[in-house]
Amino acid sequence: MDDTAQALSMIADALGISIETLRVARQLNDAKGLSLSENAELIRAFEKIEDVAVRRRVISYVQGEANRAALRAVGRTLGG
């Protein structure tokens, strides 16, 4: 197993998902202009936060930004 396959296997195991799920996610991210390294960077930074309340605020913030992005995308689709 090469280094990339081993890293994917470790990430998939840590997340409790299949390697195939990671591959599909990577393809979707690539199509959206996102990078696997950015996702990994976010996970590494998040894991360093020990305070549960702070982690919840971070999740809430990211979810809020994702929701706002989805609303903007709907607006563009509707011609707004």
Side-chain angles (χ1 to χ4, degrees):
M1 182 180 293
D2 68 11
D3 289 343
T4 301
Q6 185 176 7
L8 281 175
S9 179
M10 291 172 61
I11 292 168
D13 287 345
L15 296 173
I17 60 175
S18 71
I19 292 175
E20 185 58 30
T21 300
L22 279 178
R23 288 188 177 119
V24 169
R26 182 178 184 176
Q27 290 170 349
L28 291 172
N29 284 346
D30 288 347
K32 292 180 180 179
L34 304 174
S35 84
L36 191 57
S37 65
E38 288 173 325
N39 293 333
E41 183 179 349
L42 185 59
I43 291 169
R44 281 192 302 272
F46 183 81
E47 288 176 338
K48 292 178 184 177
I49 302 170
E50 294 181 9
D51 188 314
V52 174
V54 172
R55 285 196 310 261
R56 287 185 181 141
R57 284 197 310 269
V58 169
I59 291 169
S60 179
Y61 172 78
V62 172
Q63 287 173 331
E65 288 299 316
N67 290 339
R68 283 185 281 285
L71 287 173
R72 286 190 300 272
V74 168
R76 285 191 302 271
T77 301
L78 298 174

Coordinates of all heavy atoms in Angstrom, one line a residue:
M1 N 0.9 -1.2 0.0 CA 0.0 0.0 0.0 C 0.9 1.2 0.0 O 1.8 1.4 0.8 CB -0.9 0.0 1.3 CG -1.9 1.1 1.4 SD -2.9 1.1 2.8 CE -3.9 -0.4 2.6
D2 N 0.7 2.2 -0.9 CA 1.5 3.4 -1.0 C 1.1 4.3 0.1 O 0.1 4.1 0.8 CB 1.5 4.0 -2.4 CG 0.1 4.6 -2.8 OD1 -0.8 4.7 -1.9 OD2 -0.1 5.0 -3.9
D3 N 1.9 5.4 0.2 CA 1.6 6.4 1.3 C 0.2 7.0 1.2 O -0.4 7.2 2.2 CB 2.7 7.5 1.3 CG 4.0 7.0 1.8 OD1 4.1 5.9 2.4 OD2 5.1 7.6 1.5
T4 N -0.2 7.4 0.0 CA -1.5 8.0 -0.2 C -2.6 7.1 0.2 O -3.5 7.5 0.9 CB -1.7 8.5 -1.6 OG1 -0.6 9.4 -2.0 CG2 -3.0 9.2 -1.8
A5 N -2.5 5.8 -0.2 CA -3.6 4.9 0.1 C -3.6 4.6 1.6 O -4.7 4.5 2.2 CB -3.3 3.6 -0.7
Q6 N -2.4 4.5 2.2 CA -2.4 4.3 3.7 C -3.0 5.5 4.4 O -3.7 5.3 5.4 CB -0.9 4.1 4.1 CG -0.8 3.8 5.6 CD 0.6 3.4 6.0 OE1 1.6 3.6 5.2 NE2 0.8 3.0 7.2
A7 N -2.7 6.7 4.0 CA -3.2 7.9 4.6 C -4.7 8.0 4.5 O -5.5 8.3 5.4 CB -2.6 9.2 4.0
L8 N -5.2 7.6 3.3 CA -6.7 7.6 3.1 C -7.3 6.6 4.0 O -8.4 6.8 4.5 CB -7.0 7.3 1.6 CG -6.9 8.4 0.6 CD1 -7.1 7.9 -0.8 CD2 -7.9 9.5 0.9
S9 N -6.7 5.4 4.1 CA -7.2 4.4 4.9 C -7.3 4.8 6.4 O -8.3 4.6 7.1 CB -6.4 3.1 4.8 OG -6.8 2.1 5.7
M10 N -6.3 5.5 6.9 CA -6.2 6.0 8.2 C -7.3 7.1 8.5 O -8.0 7.1 9.5 CB -4.8 6.5 8.6 CG -3.8 5.5 8.7 SD -2.1 6.1 8.8 CE -2.2 7.0 10.4
I11 N -7.5 8.0 7.5 CA -8.5 9.0 7.6 C -9.9 8.4 7.6 O -10.7 8.7 8.4 CB -8.3 10.0 6.5 CG1 -7.0 10.8 6.6 CG2 -9.5 11.0 6.4 CD1 -6.7 11.7 5.4
A12 N -10.1 7.5 6.7 CA -11.4 6.8 6.6 C -11.7 6.1 7.9 O -12.8 6.2 8.5 CB -11.4 5.8 5.4
D13 N -10.7 5.4 8.5 CA -10.9 4.7 9.7 C -11.3 5.6 10.9 O -12.2 5.4 11.7 CB -9.7 3.8 10.1 CG -9.5 2.6 9.2 OD1 -10.5 2.2 8.6 OD2 -8.4 2.0 9.3
A14 N -10.5 6.7 10.9 CA -10.7 7.7 12.0 C -12.1 8.4 11.9 O -12.7 8.7 12.9 CB -9.7 8.8 11.9
L15 N -12.6 8.5 10.7 CA -13.9 9.2 10.5 C -15.0 8.1 10.5 O -16.2 8.5 10.5 CB -13.9 9.9 9.1 CG -13.0 11.1 9.0 CD1 -13.0 11.7 7.6 CD2 -13.4 12.2 10.0
G16 N -14.7 6.8 10.4 CA -15.7 5.8 10.4 C -16.4 5.7 9.1 O -17.6 5.4 9.1
I17 N -15.7 6.0 8.0 CA -16.3 5.9 6.7 C -15.4 5.0 5.8 O -14.3 4.7 6.1 CB -16.5 7.3 6.1 CG1 -15.2 8.0 5.9 CG2 -17.5 8.1 6.9 CD1 -15.3 9.4 5.2
S18 N -15.9 4.7 4.6 CA -15.2 3.9 3.7 C -14.2 4.8 2.9 O -14.4 6.0 2.8 CB -16.1 3.2 2.7 OG -16.7 4.1 1.8
I19 N -13.2 4.2 2.4 CA -12.2 4.9 1.5 C -13.0 5.4 0.3 O -12.7 6.5 -0.2 CB -11.0 4.0 1.1 CG1 -10.2 3.7 2.3 CG2 -10.2 4.6 0.0 CD1 -9.1 2.7 2.1
E20 N -13.9 4.6 -0.2 CA -14.7 5.0 -1.4 C -15.4 6.3 -1.1 O -15.5 7.2 -2.0 CB -15.6 3.9 -1.9 CG -16.4 4.3 -3.1 CD -15.4 4.5 -4.3 OE1 -14.3 4.0 -4.4 OE2 -15.8 5.3 -5.2
T21 N -16.0 6.5 0.1 CA -16.7 7.7 0.4 C -15.7 8.9 0.4 O -16.0 10.0 -0.1 CB -17.3 7.6 1.8 OG1 -18.2 6.5 1.8 CG2 -18.0 8.9 2.3
L22 N -14.5 8.7 0.8 CA -13.5 9.8 0.7 C -13.1 10.1 -0.7 O -13.0 11.3 -1.1 CB -12.2 9.3 1.5 CG -12.1 9.5 3.0 CD1 -10.8 9.0 3.5 CD2 -12.4 10.9 3.4
R23 N -13.0 9.1 -1.5 CA -12.7 9.3 -2.9 C -13.8 10.1 -3.6 O -13.6 11.1 -4.4 CB -12.5 8.0 -3.7 CG -11.2 7.4 -3.3 CD -10.8 6.2 -4.1 NE -9.5 5.7 -3.7 CZ -9.3 4.5 -3.2 NH1 -10.3 3.6 -3.1 NH2 -8.1 4.1 -2.9
V24 N -15.1 9.8 -3.3 CA -16.2 10.5 -3.9 C -16.2 11.9 -3.4 O -16.4 12.9 -4.2 CB -17.6 9.8 -3.6 CG1 -18.7 10.6 -4.0 CG2 -17.6 8.4 -4.3
A25 N -16.0 12.1 -2.1 CA -16.0 13.4 -1.5 C -14.9 14.3 -2.2 O -15.1 15.4 -2.5 CB -15.7 13.3 0.0
R26 N -13.7 13.6 -2.4 CA -12.6 14.4 -3.1 C -13.0 14.8 -4.5 O -12.7 15.9 -4.9 CB -11.4 13.5 -3.1 CG -10.2 14.2 -3.7 CD -9.0 13.4 -3.7 NE -7.9 14.2 -4.3 CZ -6.6 13.7 -4.3 NH1 -6.3 12.6 -3.9 NH2 -5.7 14.5 -4.8
Q27 N -13.7 13.9 -5.2 CA -14.1 14.3 -6.6 C -15.1 15.4 -6.5 O -15.0 16.4 -7.3 CB -14.7 13.1 -7.3 CG -13.7 12.0 -7.6 CD -14.4 10.7 -8.1 OE1 -15.6 10.5 -8.0 NE2 -13.5 9.8 -8.6
L28 N -16.0 15.4 -5.6 CA -17.0 16.5 -5.4 C -16.3 17.8 -5.1 O -16.6 18.8 -5.6 CB -18.1 16.1 -4.4 CG -19.0 15.0 -4.8 CD1 -19.9 14.6 -3.6 CD2 -19.9 15.4 -6.0
N29 N -15.4 17.7 -4.1 CA -14.6 18.9 -3.7 C -13.8 19.4 -4.9 O -13.8 20.7 -5.1 CB -13.7 18.6 -2.5 CG -14.5 18.4 -1.2 OD1 -15.6 18.8 -1.1 ND2 -13.8 17.9 -0.2
D30 N -13.2 18.6 -5.6 CA -12.4 19.0 -6.8 C -13.3 19.8 -7.8 O -12.9 20.8 -8.3 CB -11.7 17.9 -7.5 CG -10.5 17.3 -6.6 OD1 -10.1 18.0 -5.7 OD2 -10.0 16.2 -7.0
A31 N -14.5 19.2 -8.0 CA -15.4 19.9 -8.9 C -15.9 21.2 -8.4 O -16.2 22.1 -9.2 CB -16.6 19.0 -9.1
K32 N -15.9 21.4 -7.1 CA -16.3 22.7 -6.5 C -15.2 23.6 -6.2 O -15.3 24.7 -5.7 CB -17.1 22.4 -5.1 CG -18.4 21.7 -5.3 CD -19.0 21.5 -3.9 CE -20.3 20.8 -4.0 NZ -20.9 20.6 -2.6
G33 N -14.0 23.2 -6.6 CA -12.8 24.0 -6.3 C -12.3 24.0 -4.9 O -11.5 24.8 -4.5
L34 N -12.7 23.0 -4.2 CA -12.2 22.8 -2.8 C -11.0 21.8 -2.8 O -10.9 21.0 -3.7 CB -13.3 22.2 -1.9 CG -14.6 23.0 -1.9 CD1 -15.7 22.3 -1.1 CD2 -14.3 24.4 -1.3
S35 N -10.2 21.8 -1.8 CA -9.1 20.9 -1.8 C -9.2 20.0 -0.5 O -9.6 20.4 0.5 CB -7.8 21.6 -1.8 OG -7.4 22.1 -0.5
L36 N -8.7 18.8 -0.7 CA -8.7 17.8 0.4 C -7.7 18.4 1.4 O -8.0 18.2 2.6 CB -8.2 16.5 -0.2 CG -8.3 15.3 0.8 CD1 -9.8 15.1 1.2 CD2 -7.9 14.0 0.1
S37 N -6.7 19.1 1.0 CA -5.7 19.6 2.0 C -6.4 20.6 2.9 O -6.1 20.7 4.1 CB -4.5 20.1 1.4 OG -4.8 21.2 0.6
E38 N -7.3 21.5 2.3 CA -8.0 22.4 3.2 C -8.9 21.7 4.2 O -9.0 22.2 5.3 CB -8.8 23.4 2.3 CG -8.0 24.4 1.5 CD -8.9 25.1 0.5 OE1 -9.8 24.6 -0.1 OE2 -8.5 26.3 0.3
N39 N -9.6 20.7 3.7 CA -10.5 19.9 4.6 C -9.7 19.3 5.7 O -10.1 19.4 6.9 CB -11.2 18.8 3.9 CG -12.2 19.4 2.9 OD1 -12.7 20.5 3.0 ND2 -12.5 18.7 1.8
A40 N -8.5 18.7 5.4 CA -7.6 18.1 6.4 C -7.1 19.2 7.4 O -7.0 19.0 8.6 CB -6.5 17.4 5.7
E41 N -6.8 20.4 6.9 CA -6.3 21.5 7.7 C -7.4 21.9 8.7 O -7.1 22.1 9.9 CB -5.9 22.6 6.8 CG -5.3 23.8 7.6 CD -4.9 25.0 6.7 OE1 -4.9 24.8 5.4 OE2 -4.6 26.0 7.2
L42 N -8.6 22.0 8.2 CA -9.7 22.3 9.1 C -9.9 21.3 10.2 O -10.1 21.6 11.4 CB -11.0 22.5 8.3 CG -12.2 23.0 9.0 CD1 -12.0 24.3 9.7 CD2 -13.4 23.0 8.1
I43 N -9.8 20.0 9.8 CA -10.0 18.9 10.8 C -8.8 19.0 11.8 O -9.1 18.9 13.1 CB -10.0 17.6 10.1 CG1 -11.4 17.5 9.3 CG2 -9.9 16.4 11.1 CD1 -11.4 16.3 8.4
R44 N -7.6 19.1 11.4 CA -6.5 19.2 12.3 C -6.6 20.3 13.3 O -6.4 20.2 14.5 CB -5.1 19.3 11.5 CG -4.6 18.0 11.0 CD -3.2 18.1 10.5 NE -3.0 19.2 9.4 CZ -3.2 19.0 8.1 NH1 -3.5 17.8 7.7 NH2 -3.0 20.0 7.3
A45 N -7.0 21.5 12.8 CA -7.2 22.7 13.7 C -8.3 22.4 14.7 O -8.2 22.7 15.9 CB -7.4 23.9 12.9
F46 N -9.4 21.9 14.2 CA -10.5 21.6 15.0 C -10.2 20.6 16.2 O -10.6 20.8 17.3 CB -11.7 21.1 14.2 CG -13.0 20.8 15.0 CD1 -13.8 21.9 15.3 CD2 -13.3 19.6 15.4 CE1 -15.0 21.7 16.0 CE2 -14.5 19.4 16.2 CZ -15.3 20.4 16.4
E47 N -9.4 19.6 15.9 CA -9.0 18.6 16.9 C -8.2 19.2 18.0 O -8.1 18.7 19.1 CB -8.2 17.5 16.2 CG -9.1 16.6 15.4 CD -8.4 15.5 14.6 OE1 -7.2 15.7 14.4 OE2 -9.0 14.5 14.3
K48 N -7.5 20.3 17.7 CA -6.7 21.0 18.8 C -7.6 21.8 19.8 O -7.1 22.1 20.8 CB -5.7 21.9 18.1 CG -4.6 21.2 17.3 CD -3.7 22.1 16.7 CE -2.7 21.4 15.8 NZ -1.8 22.3 15.1
I49 N -8.8 22.0 19.5 CA -9.7 22.7 20.4 C -10.2 21.8 21.4 O -11.0 20.9 21.1 CB -10.9 23.4 19.6 CG1 -10.3 24.3 18.5 CG2 -11.8 24.1 20.6 CD1 -11.4 24.8 17.6
E50 N -9.8 22.0 22.7 CA -10.2 21.1 23.8 C -11.6 21.5 24.4 O -12.3 20.7 24.9 CB -9.1 21.1 24.8 CG -7.8 20.5 24.3 CD -6.8 20.5 25.4 OE1 -7.1 20.8 26.6 OE2 -5.6 20.1 25.1
D51 N -11.9 22.8 24.3 CA -13.1 23.3 25.0 C -14.4 22.9 24.1 O -14.5 23.3 23.0 CB -13.1 24.8 25.1 CG -14.2 25.4 25.9 OD1 -15.4 25.0 25.7 OD2 -13.9 26.2 26.8
V52 N -15.3 22.1 24.7 CA -16.4 21.6 24.0 C -17.3 22.8 23.5 O -17.8 22.7 22.4 CB -17.2 20.6 24.9 CG1 -18.6 20.2 24.2 CG2 -16.4 19.4 25.2
A53 N -17.5 23.8 24.3 CA -18.3 24.9 24.0 C -17.7 25.6 22.8 O -18.5 26.1 21.9 CB -18.5 25.8 25.2
V54 N -16.4 25.8 22.7 CA -15.8 26.4 21.6 C -16.0 25.6 20.4 O -16.3 26.2 19.3 CB -14.3 26.7 21.9 CG1 -13.6 27.2 20.7 CG2 -14.1 27.7 23.1
R55 N -15.8 24.3 20.5 CA -16.0 23.4 19.3 C -17.4 23.6 18.8 O -17.6 23.6 17.5 CB -15.7 22.0 19.6 CG -14.2 21.7 19.7 CD -13.9 20.2 19.7 NE -14.7 19.4 20.6 CZ -14.3 18.9 21.8 NH1 -13.1 19.3 22.2 NH2 -15.0 18.2 22.5
R56 N -18.4 23.6 19.7 CA -19.8 23.8 19.2 C -20.0 25.1 18.5 O -20.7 25.2 17.5 CB -20.7 23.7 20.4 CG -20.8 22.2 20.9 CD -21.8 22.1 22.0 NE -21.9 20.7 22.4 CZ -22.0 20.3 23.7 NH1 -22.1 21.2 24.6 NH2 -22.0 19.0 24.0
R57 N -19.3 26.2 19.0 CA -19.4 27.5 18.3 C -18.8 27.5 17.0 O -19.3 28.0 16.0 CB -18.8 28.6 19.2 CG -19.6 29.0 20.4 CD -19.1 30.4 21.0 NE -17.7 30.5 21.2 CZ -17.1 30.2 22.4 NH1 -17.9 29.7 23.4 NH2 -15.9 30.3 22.6
V58 N -17.7 26.8 16.8 CA -17.0 26.6 15.5 C -17.9 25.9 14.6 O -18.1 26.3 13.4 CB -15.7 25.9 15.7 CG1 -15.1 25.5 14.3 CG2 -14.7 26.7 16.4
I59 N -18.5 24.8 15.0 CA -19.5 24.0 14.2 C -20.6 24.9 13.8 O -21.0 24.9 12.6 CB -19.9 22.8 14.9 CG1 -18.8 21.8 15.0 CG2 -21.1 22.1 14.1 CD1 -19.0 20.6 15.9
S60 N -21.2 25.6 14.7 CA -22.3 26.5 14.4 C -21.9 27.6 13.4 O -22.7 27.9 12.5 CB -22.8 27.2 15.7 OG -23.8 28.0 15.5
Y61 N -20.7 28.1 13.6 CA -20.3 29.2 12.6 C -20.2 28.6 11.2 O -20.7 29.2 10.2 CB -18.9 29.7 13.1 CG -18.3 30.6 12.0 CD1 -18.8 31.9 11.8 CD2 -17.3 30.2 11.2 CE1 -18.2 32.7 10.9 CE2 -16.8 31.0 10.2 CZ -17.2 32.3 10.1 OH -16.7 33.1 9.1
V62 N -19.5 27.4 11.1 CA -19.3 26.8 9.8 C -20.6 26.4 9.2 O -20.9 26.6 8.0 CB -18.4 25.6 9.9 CG1 -18.3 24.8 8.6 CG2 -17.0 26.0 10.3
Q63 N -21.6 25.9 10.0 CA -22.9 25.5 9.4 C -23.6 26.8 9.0 O -24.3 26.8 7.9 CB -23.7 24.8 10.5 CG -23.2 23.4 10.7 CD -23.9 22.7 11.9 OE1 -24.3 23.3 12.8 NE2 -24.0 21.4 11.8
G64 N -23.5 27.9 9.7 CA -24.1 29.1 9.3 C -23.6 29.6 8.0 O -24.3 30.1 7.1
E65 N -22.3 29.6 7.8 CA -21.7 30.0 6.6 C -22.1 29.1 5.4 O -22.4 29.6 4.3 CB -20.1 30.0 6.7 CG -19.6 31.1 7.6 CD -19.9 32.5 7.0 OE1 -19.8 32.7 5.8 OE2 -20.3 33.4 7.8
A66 N -22.2 27.8 5.7 CA -22.7 26.9 4.7 C -24.1 27.2 4.3 O -24.5 27.2 3.1 CB -22.5 25.4 5.1
N67 N -24.9 27.5 5.3 CA -26.3 27.8 5.0 C -26.4 29.1 4.2 O -27.2 29.2 3.2 CB -27.1 27.9 6.3 CG -27.3 26.6 6.9 OD1 -27.3 25.6 6.3 ND2 -27.6 26.7 8.2
R68 N -25.6 30.1 4.5 CA -25.6 31.4 3.8 C -25.2 31.1 2.3 O -25.7 31.7 1.4 CB -24.8 32.4 4.5 CG -25.5 33.0 5.7 CD -24.7 34.2 6.3 NE -23.6 33.7 7.2 CZ -23.8 33.2 8.4 NH1 -25.0 33.1 8.9 NH2 -22.7 32.8 9.1
A69 N -24.2 30.3 2.2 CA -23.7 30.0 0.8 C -24.8 29.3 0.0 O -25.0 29.6 -1.2 CB -22.4 29.1 0.9
A70 N -25.5 28.4 0.6 CA -26.6 27.7 0.0 C -27.7 28.6 -0.4 O -28.2 28.6 -1.5 CB -27.1 26.6 0.9
L71 N -28.0 29.6 0.4 CA -29.0 30.6 0.1 C -28.6 31.5 -1.1 O -29.4 31.8 -1.9 CB -29.4 31.4 1.3 CG -30.2 30.7 2.4 CD1 -30.3 31.6 3.6 CD2 -31.5 30.3 1.9
R72 N -27.3 31.9 -1.1 CA -26.8 32.7 -2.2 C -26.9 31.9 -3.5 O -27.2 32.4 -4.5 CB -25.3 33.1 -1.9 CG -25.2 34.2 -0.9 CD -23.8 34.8 -0.8 NE -22.8 33.8 -0.5 CZ -22.4 33.5 0.8 NH1 -23.0 34.1 1.8 NH2 -21.5 32.6 1.0
A73 N -26.6 30.6 -3.4 CA -26.6 29.7 -4.6 C -28.1 29.6 -5.1 O -28.3 29.7 -6.3 CB -26.1 28.3 -4.3
V74 N -29.0 29.5 -4.2 CA -30.4 29.5 -4.6 C -30.8 30.8 -5.3 O -31.5 30.9 -6.3 CB -31.3 29.2 -3.4 CG1 -32.8 29.4 -3.7 CG2 -31.1 27.7 -2.9
G75 N -30.4 31.9 -4.7 CA -30.6 33.2 -5.2 C -30.1 33.4 -6.6 O -30.8 33.9 -7.5
R76 N -28.9 32.9 -6.9 CA -28.3 32.9 -8.2 C -29.1 32.1 -9.2 O -29.3 32.4 -10.3 CB -26.8 32.5 -8.2 CG -25.9 33.5 -7.6 CD -24.4 33.2 -7.8 NE -24.1 31.9 -7.3 CZ -23.6 31.7 -6.0 NH1 -23.5 32.7 -5.2 NH2 -23.3 30.5 -5.6
T77 N -29.5 30.9 -8.7 CA -30.3 30.0 -9.6 C -31.6 30.6 -10.0 O -32.1 30.5 -11.1 CB -30.6 28.7 -8.8 OG1 -29.3 28.1 -8.5 CG2 -31.4 27.7 -9.7
L78 N -32.2 31.4 -9.0 CA -33.5 32.0 -9.3 C -33.3 33.4 -10.0 O -34.3 34.1 -10.3 CB -34.3 32.2 -8.0 CG -34.7 31.0 -7.2 CD1 -35.3 31.3 -5.9 CD2 -35.6 30.1 -8.1
G79 N -32.1 33.7 -10.3 CA -31.9 35.0 -11.0 C -31.7 36.2 -10.2 O -31.8 37.3 -10.6
G80 N -31.5 36.0 -8.9 CA -31.4 37.1 -7.9 C -30.1 37.6 -7.8 O -29.3 38.3 -7.8

